[in-house]
Amino acid sequence: MKEQDYHKDTVVIHEGYEDKLHHGSLAVPLYQTSTYSFDTAVQGENRFSGVEKGNIYSRLGNPTVHVLEERMTALENGGGTLAFGSGMAAVSSILVHLTKAGDHILCSRGIYGCTFGFLGILKEKYNITHDLIRMGNEEEIEQAIKPETVCIYIETPINPTMELVDLQAVMNVAERYGLRVVVDNTFSSPYLQNPIDFGVDFVLHSATKYINGHGDVIAGLLVGKDKEEMESIRMSVQKDYGGIISPFDAWLLIRGLKTLPVRMERHTSNAEKLIIYLKTQNLVEEVFYPFDQDNPQYEIAKRQMRAGGGLISFTIKGGKEGAQLFMDSLSLIKIAVSLGDAETLIQHPATMTHAVVPKEERIRMGITDSLLRLSVGLEYADDLIRDMKSAFSVMEAVPTE
Ligand SMILES: *Cc1c(COP(=O)(O)O)cnc(C)c1O
């Protein structure tokens, strides 16, 4: 695979695996083992001292997991990847790696709820503080930097408002101040956005979402620009905190990843059809989608994303009751959190994923009671539209103020 540069659509299927070295097995074998035998005592000594490369124990490395890591490195244009047992294990590991007691982390104003929870633990236990700010331009970012700031941690698009953070603006500031930058790229997947191309140091994914794509695994991936630094994280934070992925989950991710490009194309084309439909509905107030030409951030979207992906949020008339009535009136579309699955999912951020965010903060972020988030699946688009159509007609029959 190394002699030639293949397109990413080929990389997801072939990178990091040579079937001829595995009895011609076309599928990547599942090495469901905890440990590895050494030929001799001296070989064991050499593996531990690092003189000889090779397997020791599956918390330090596993051949199935290795294939997944190689593929992700190629997909994100990075130097190395570590696979974790959850997206949160990847988040917590990189934040532990980058900070020490007393440091400060600058975050985009929307971050995943449990990431926010982990920042709270860092603050309480180690006085590692953070600020969540709107990163609308370089000045806004620059003004929030403190002498003890060590890194910038962002999500873009931001969940669930689909607000974007301009990666180039963040990098311009980070380079001026020597700050490390981490991007949670879960919402875009490597198919839509590659932050390392902008100079970002680390990209992480909840692989539970688009990378697996089938709603049956919890896993995380951390890709770094620098291969040596990634190996040092493997042999320190990852080894000693122990948040590794199981070989079987890695095997499922390898299987899911093969269809990432075709799935993302379908998620996107379905989302585009639903947006057109939603915009014509009297009961819909506003629709939020990065690649919508009416989106004031459309230019930023085009600079850093290849397409809009499968997530849409929109506000509906009738406030919380209206939103809940709409959800309850759907039948094909399932009421569930998470995203990136084959099934279309709808959730109400104000009472579900963002229920813990204090109300004023929530409103300031644009997460009102009438906001709904849709993770558009892979179904036939007209069936989804038909489902929504019947839910809207139920709402129309019930007068709302
Ligand atoms: C789901 C999610 C996470 C957490 O990942 P888990 O795999 O559930 O631990 C982190 N960031 C984002 C943006 C997510 O959607």
Side-chain angles (χ1 to χ4, degrees):
M1 267 303 292
K2 287 288 167 227
E3 317 84 61
Q4 222 177 323
D5 270 341
Y6 288 110
H7 188 275
K8 296 288 168 63
D9 292 7
T10 306
V11 163
V12 293
I13 299 168
H14 292 280
E15 180 74 24
Y17 180 66
E18 198 56 73
D19 57 12
K20 294 296 176 281
L21 304 177
H22 297 271
H23 307 284
S25 173
L26 192 59
V28 174
L30 168 57
Y31 285 93
Q32 189 71 28
T33 187
S34 47
T35 197
Y36 306 84
S37 67
F38 307 126
D39 294 340
T40 62
V42 168
Q43 185 182 50
E45 179 183 2
N46 289 341
R47 293 258 173 102
F48 269 85
S49 69
V51 168
E52 182 187 307
K53 273 194 176 294
N55 296 308
I56 298 175
Y57 182 69
S58 277
R59 183 154 35 75
L60 319 183
N62 172 282
T64 307
V65 175
H66 184 71
V67 174
L68 171 67
E69 292 176 339
E70 292 282 295
R71 261 174 216 181
M72 275 305 293
T73 300
L75 283 181
E76 284 287 18
N77 303 325
T81 298
L82 302 175
F84 290 87
S86 71
M88 282 316 303
V91 171
S92 54
S93 296
I94 190 57
L95 289 176
V96 165
H97 171 69
L98 291 174
T99 58
K100 59 176 182 358
D103 284 345
H104 174 253
I105 304 167
L106 196 56
C107 304
S108 52
R109 70 170 168 177
I111 50 171
Y112 186 69
C114 301
T115 301
F116 186 69
F118 185 69
L119 288 171
I121 295 175
L122 289 179
K123 186 171 173 202
E124 195 180 306
K125 289 189 174 289
Y126 311 111
N127 189 34
I128 296 168
T129 58
H130 60 269
D131 281 302
L132 274 71
I133 61 152
R134 206 182 84 97
M135 297 187 174
N137 54 48
E138 289 185 32
E139 227 172 34
E140 276 181 351
I141 305 168
E142 210 155 0
Q143 279 167 1
I145 292 172
K146 297 178 174 181
E148 57 274 22
T149 305
V150 291
C151 70
I152 299 180
Y153 183 101
I154 60 173
E155 289 181 20
T156 177
I158 290 175
N159 178 27
T161 54
M162 306 311 288
E163 178 184 321
L164 303 181
V165 176
D166 185 338
L167 289 173
Q168 194 56 59
V170 169
M171 286 316 300
N172 291 346
V173 177
E175 274 160 20
R176 276 205 293 283
Y177 288 83
L179 305 176
R180 310 300 298 278
V181 178
V182 183
V183 176
D184 181 336
N185 204 26
T186 302
F187 267 40
S188 297
S189 89
Y191 182 76
L192 298 179
Q193 179 171 275
N194 298 121
I196 290 176
D197 292 351
F198 291 79
V200 161
D201 301 279
F202 300 97
V203 168
L204 63 87
H205 291 272
S206 167
T208 311
K209 317 291 168 53
Y210 285 114
I211 290 182
N212 179 53
H214 294 73
D216 47 18
V217 172
I218 301 274
L221 291 158
L222 173 69
V223 188
K225 196 158 63 172
D226 187 281
K227 186 180 169 73
E228 271 174 38
E229 185 174 21
M230 293 311 287
E231 282 313 303
S232 96
I233 300 172
R234 185 193 300 283
M235 297 313 283
S236 56
V237 175
Q238 193 186 39
K239 169 173 78 70
D240 298 340
Y241 272 65
I244 55 144
I245 194 171
S246 80
F248 181 60
D249 285 351
W251 187 85
L252 285 170
L253 291 188
I254 289 167
R255 175 180 159 131
L257 197 54
K258 286 184 188 184
T259 55
L260 179 75
V262 289
R263 284 187 284 112
M264 293 313 291
E265 275 173 27
R266 178 64 170 258
H267 284 302
T268 301
S269 65
N270 274 357
E272 285 166 352
K273 287 175 189 156
L274 295 199
I275 282 163
I276 293 170
Y277 170 72
L278 285 168
K279 284 187 157 186
T280 63
Q281 295 309 298
N282 290 331
L283 289 166
V284 172
E285 288 167 340
E286 262 190 295
V287 180
F288 305 97
Y289 187 69
F291 264 60
D292 180 355
Q293 288 182 26
D294 300 335
N295 177 357
Q297 292 187 305
Y298 185 47
E299 289 305 314
I300 299 176
K302 281 194 292 187
R303 275 205 300 276
Q304 60 196 38
M305 297 174 76
R306 290 184 191 93
L311 288 157
I312 301 173
S313 58
F314 62 98
T315 50
I316 197 162
K317 287 189 183 144
K320 180 178 157 184
E321 288 70 28
Q324 290 185 332
L325 177 60
F326 179 73
M327 295 167 88
D328 290 343
S329 306
L330 294 164
S331 59
L332 180 62
I333 298 172
K334 304 298 173 198
I335 305 171
V337 296
S338 199
L339 55 110
D341 295 345
E343 296 82 2
T344 297
L345 309 176
I346 193 163
Q347 68 115 347
H348 186 239
T351 58
M352 295 180 182
T353 52
H354 292 70
V356 294
V357 181
K359 183 153 187 179
E360 318 80 74
E361 174 65 16
R362 196 154 45 70
I363 302 296
R364 205 153 51 82
M365 285 166 62
I367 307 170
T368 59
D369 284 351
S370 50
L371 187 77
L372 287 166
R373 188 194 73 190
L374 207 53
S375 169
V376 181
L378 305 176
E379 300 95 335
Y380 188 61
D382 286 349
D383 288 336
L384 297 170
I385 289 171
R386 204 142 44 100
D387 198 30
M388 292 206 264
K389 198 175 264 177
S390 75
F392 283 128
S393 59
V394 170
M395 288 183 75
E396 266 152 12
V398 181
T400 48
E401 70 281 28

